[in-house]
Amino acid sequence: MVSCWTVADEESELMWYAYAPGFGVAIRSTKGRLKASFGPPDADKIEIDSVKYGCHGPFGKRKGFKQEQELRAFIRYEYEHDDRGTMIEPPYAGKPVSVELRTLMAEVWVSPNSPDWFERVVRVELEKYCYGGTPVKTRS
């Protein structure tokens, strides 16, 4: 199970077009905030590290994606064994993990492709769910 983040110092047009081509938001955080936001029982199982481009494994990715400057939060599969001792692949495609959003979110960035009304919707929704103190940033 993987959660991926970019560690670029500035926003990327490529990332906006790849992951929010119409309109959307991005959460700005830090590695420390990300790690602190995970709740029990999974907090101690989560590995966080930068992606190594041109390598294999949970923190590896093809070199063609190097511009993403990716950081990953990763939980290894918890394999079970049948009565013959054979490993059984977990039956799920993902694993829900508790996250404290107030700890995680430093800012919410509104996509530069978003219509004008979308920023207001983001602010209303943050307020509705008691995250109204979270700064919302838009490109000037």
Side-chain angles (χ1 to χ4, degrees), residues 91-124:
Y92 47 80
K95 179 176 176 61
V97 175
S98 296
V99 174
E100 174 50 54
L101 290 177
R102 198 168 319 285
T103 302
L104 177 66
M105 295 189 301
E107 297 173 337
V108 174
W109 289 359
V110 175
S111 166
N113 307 317
S114 299
D116 292 339
W117 57 263
F118 188 66
E119 178 187 352
R120 289 187 301 278
V121 170
V122 169
R123 290 180 186 279
V124 166

Side-chain angles (χ1 to χ4, degrees), residues 124-138:
V124 166
E125 291 297 304
L126 286 168
E127 190 69 39
K128 177 180 175 181
Y129 292 100
C130 301
Y131 298 104
T134 304
V136 176
K137 302 290 183 172
T138 58

Side-chain angles (χ1 to χ4, degrees), residues 51-57 59-66:
V51 167
K52 284 37 170 196
Y53 297 95
C55 298
H56 291 78
F59 294 102
K61 197 168 187 176
R62 291 190 344 248
K63 287 183 182 182
F65 293 96
K66 192 172 186 174

